[in-house]
Amino acid sequence: MTVKDAPARTDLAATGDIGWAVRLLAATPTHEHRDPELLHRWARAADAFGAALAPVECRARIVERDGGLELGLLARYTSRPPTVELYTDTIDLAERVVDARGWRDWYPPGSVRAAALAHEAVHAHLHHGPAKAALKRALGHSALRLGRLHVPGHVAGAEEVAAHAYARTVCGLGRSPLLLTAALAAEAEGEAQSGSVNGNNPPPARDARREN
């Protein structure tokens, strides 16, 4: 893979981190017909929640392997047994994309791997601890209302937004990994159209997400 034909920096970077979070939610099943303002409110709440999380230790087993480009993944967390898989081929491509687009001030050397690991550590944290319920409360979405009683509801994609915001914060990145995800998707799409990859493109909402 090469990155010589990647679109200009401003094509993607002009959209802010919350804008990419809204796009992630809008592309998530069950949200196809949601009010854009509601998606924006959820995106901001999930981003703020993730950014405010205290540092989380990754206690899962860490495995590095190739094959991420075929799967469309930078990393993924699986719970049985707790494992974080880091895909070195996709991480290497991401580092090249950062250089090609002039984003090194936002993503310092080595930060792609660090952000992927931090992202998956939060997925493990949300999967096993009380923070998942706290995120639901922060989003303010109700699955059921009976008078004054309401049951916080799940918002598909919100955990992903929170994990990206956490990774951006704890790794000291200038922009959310969501922007880099979009650039990787654009790169894969461009090379697939030129016949240089197999067509399994990493879509913007799937990069570094939990896949258990």
Side-chain angles (χ1 to χ4, degrees):
M1 280 187 168
T2 66
V3 293
K4 64 181 180 179
D5 296 323
R9 170 175 175 152
T10 53
D11 289 349
L12 299 176
T15 298
D17 291 350
I18 296 300
W20 283 115
V22 171
R23 292 189 184 195
L24 185 154
L25 294 178
T28 301
T30 74
H31 296 327
E32 294 88 345
H33 305 294
R34 296 281 193 187
D35 181 355
E37 182 55 38
L38 177 61
L39 294 179
H40 191 271
R41 187 162 67 248
W42 282 345
R44 292 189 65 86
D47 184 273
F49 180 89
L53 282 174
V56 174
E57 179 184 358
C58 182
R59 298 184 178 181
R61 182 172 64 109
I62 300 172
V63 177
E64 296 191 7
R65 56 170 53 113
D66 289 333
L69 294 174
E70 295 179 3
L71 295 171
L73 293 170
L74 254 173
R76 69 178 171 183
Y77 168 73
T78 55
S79 59
R80 298 180 181 178
T83 303
V84 171
E85 298 173 329
L86 298 175
Y87 291 96
T88 56
D89 53 343
T90 315
I91 291 173
D92 289 344
L93 174 61
E95 292 284 2
R96 297 197 300 273
V97 168
V98 167
D99 283 331
R101 289 176 176 268
W103 292 350
R104 190 52 73 187
D105 52 338
W106 291 337
Y107 306 102
S111 63
V112 175
R113 183 187 185 281
L117 185 58
H119 182 111
E120 300 308 324
V122 165
H123 277 308
H125 179 65
L126 293 173
H127 187 79
H128 296 290
K132 190 168 190 174
L135 174 58
K136 287 183 179 180
R137 292 193 296 271
L139 293 167
H141 175 53
S142 295
L144 177 66
R145 283 186 177 274
L146 293 172
R148 293 185 177 182
L149 175 66
H150 69 94
V151 178
H154 172 70
V155 175
E159 182 180 317
E160 187 70 7
V161 173
H164 279 298
Y166 170 81
R168 178 192 67 219
T169 302
V170 299
C171 295
L173 306 181
R175 290 291 305 268
S176 169
L178 278 169
L179 173 61
L180 184 53
T181 299
L184 282 170
E187 174 66 17
E189 181 180 357
E191 296 212 13
Q193 291 174 351
S194 69
S196 58
V197 296
N198 64 8
N200 270 332
N201 304 328
R206 290 178 59 89
D207 174 49
R209 69 179 297 177
R210 179 167 58 95
E211 294 289 338
N212 54 323

